[in-house]
Amino acid sequence: MEQTGKKIKTWLKEGGIYLVLALLLFVIIIKEPSFLSIRNFRNILTQSSVRLIIALGVAGLIVTQGTDLSAGRQVGLSAVISATLLQNITNTNKVFKSLGNIPIPLVILFICLIGAIIGLMNGFIVAQLNVTPFIATLGTMIVIYGINSLYFDYVGAQPIAGFDPRYSNFAQGSFNILGFQLPYLILYALIAVIIVWIIWNKTTFGKNIFAIGGNPEAAKVSGVNVKKNLIAIYAMSGIFYAFAGLLEAGRVGSATNNLGNMYELDAIAACVVGGVSFSGGVGSVPGVVTGVIIFTVINYGLTYIGVNPYWQYIIKGIIIIMAVALDTMKYTKKK
């Protein structure tokens, strides 16, 4: 009997959060059976795509026992800059009329460069100045939002829209596979997943990330340049946020300085739900994908059945607390 109790307790620690999420999904389906449809499935995958790219950036930091509270604001900054650079030349409200239609690849490179610079700044503060990631990224979150708001005011302080059709198609378009319209966003997310999986599993850099997360001192003794690798992982995360911001502005069809607000919390929650441990050194790309899809299903489902947005915040907050608490319990047991 005691052995059975221990097994149940262990199972609850390992899979309790999935049970709660399954119950939430069950309630959603019971209330609205129409939730189970191809259209909703496609919408969920589309909404998951940008969030997945953001989560993949955050996940690498969590593996190293870090985090990034500035992720959402970085997405917002990239979205606003991308929106101002990729407006249609015929748009009477075009911000930079003299630039004409800029090639999308050029804007992607420019945006990713900005993301890498912000990431390098975060990494430098964490690795070289020894500021805890929570405080470091909290500070940069506020700074980035201030910069984005100043830029947004400078270009007119109104939603930036009227995009170049090529940009709209890049973010909103789809291609046909066996009669099913698959959005380009899903393809971009799949490419990001493959890139991160290769980095985590097939490169020395990836092995160093997990070594640092597992035990920074042991990694240092074994010859890993901890500071250099931390700066690199923050820079890589910044690139992911930047690209996600460009896609999000195109997906939504407009951008303001508030775009991206709270995105980092969804990304962090999805990572933890997907098994990326705040204790460091533990995580997998399939786990991140699973966590993002689960969280998007819950988000989309609660909205679908008309749950008040304020209640959605409460439910998501409880899920985050539960996920981290269960993760801590698992880590304590192993220790």
Side-chain angles (χ1 to χ4, degrees), residues 68-272:
D68 194 345
L69 298 182
S70 70
R73 294 306 185 187
Q74 289 189 55
V75 169
L77 177 63
S78 300
V80 169
I81 295 174
S82 300
T84 56
L85 294 177
L86 290 170
Q87 286 180 295
N88 196 357
I89 195 169
T90 60
N91 185 347
T92 56
N93 295 317
K94 184 174 173 62
V95 175
F96 301 115
K97 292 183 172 60
S98 61
L99 291 180
N101 285 330
I102 306 174
I104 294 175
L106 189 61
V107 176
I108 292 174
L109 288 173
F110 179 65
I111 289 298
C112 287
L113 177 61
I114 292 174
I117 291 170
I118 295 173
L120 285 170
M121 180 177 67
N122 275 334
F124 179 83
I125 294 169
V126 171
Q128 295 288 353
L129 303 183
N130 295 318
V131 179
T132 59
F134 181 89
I135 298 299
T137 58
L138 175 63
T140 53
M141 175 187 76
I142 297 168
V143 171
I144 292 165
Y145 180 60
I147 292 171
N148 194 20
S149 297
L150 287 171
Y151 180 74
F152 185 67
D153 282 349
Y154 172 75
V155 298
Q158 58 183 348
I160 304 161
F163 297 145
D164 184 333
R166 296 172 304 158
Y167 177 35
S168 297
N169 184 63
F170 182 79
Q172 298 176 8
S174 61
F175 55 96
N176 191 294
I177 295 183
L178 301 176
F180 182 78
Q181 289 297 320
L182 189 69
Y184 291 147
L185 285 175
I186 297 175
L187 178 62
Y188 305 146
L190 180 60
I191 293 171
V193 165
I194 293 170
I195 290 171
V196 175
W197 187 88
I198 291 172
I199 291 172
W200 281 18
N201 295 280
K202 300 297 180 180
T203 68
T204 302
F205 177 50
K207 291 180 176 63
N208 289 345
I209 291 170
F210 282 87
I212 292 168
N215 190 323
E217 291 304 317
K220 192 174 182 180
V221 170
S222 64
V224 175
N225 189 326
V226 174
K227 291 182 178 180
K228 181 180 177 181
N229 280 277
L230 280 176
I231 292 173
I233 189 63
Y234 274 93
M236 188 177 84
S237 295
I239 292 171
F240 274 72
Y241 306 149
F243 186 59
L246 179 141
L247 292 177
E248 186 70 349
R251 183 186 74 85
V252 174
S254 66
T256 71
N257 59 327
N258 284 316
L259 185 64
N261 185 33
M262 304 287 281
Y263 280 24
E264 68 280 352
L265 297 187
D266 281 356
I268 291 169
C271 288
V272 177

Side-chain angles (χ1 to χ4, degrees), residues 21-40:
L21 294 170
L23 287 173
L24 265 175
L25 182 58
F26 179 74
V27 170
I28 291 167
I29 294 170
I30 290 297
K31 188 168 176 61
E32 284 289 349
S34 62
F35 179 70
L36 295 175
S37 68
I38 295 296
R39 178 175 173 273
N40 284 336

Side-chain angles (χ1 to χ4, degrees), residues 17-18 62 269-278 282-284 287-288 291 327 330:
I17 190 65
Y18 295 106
I62 297 176
C271 288
V272 177
V273 167
V276 183
S277 176
F278 266 107
V282 177
S284 69
V288 176
D327 174 66
K330 286 188 287 185

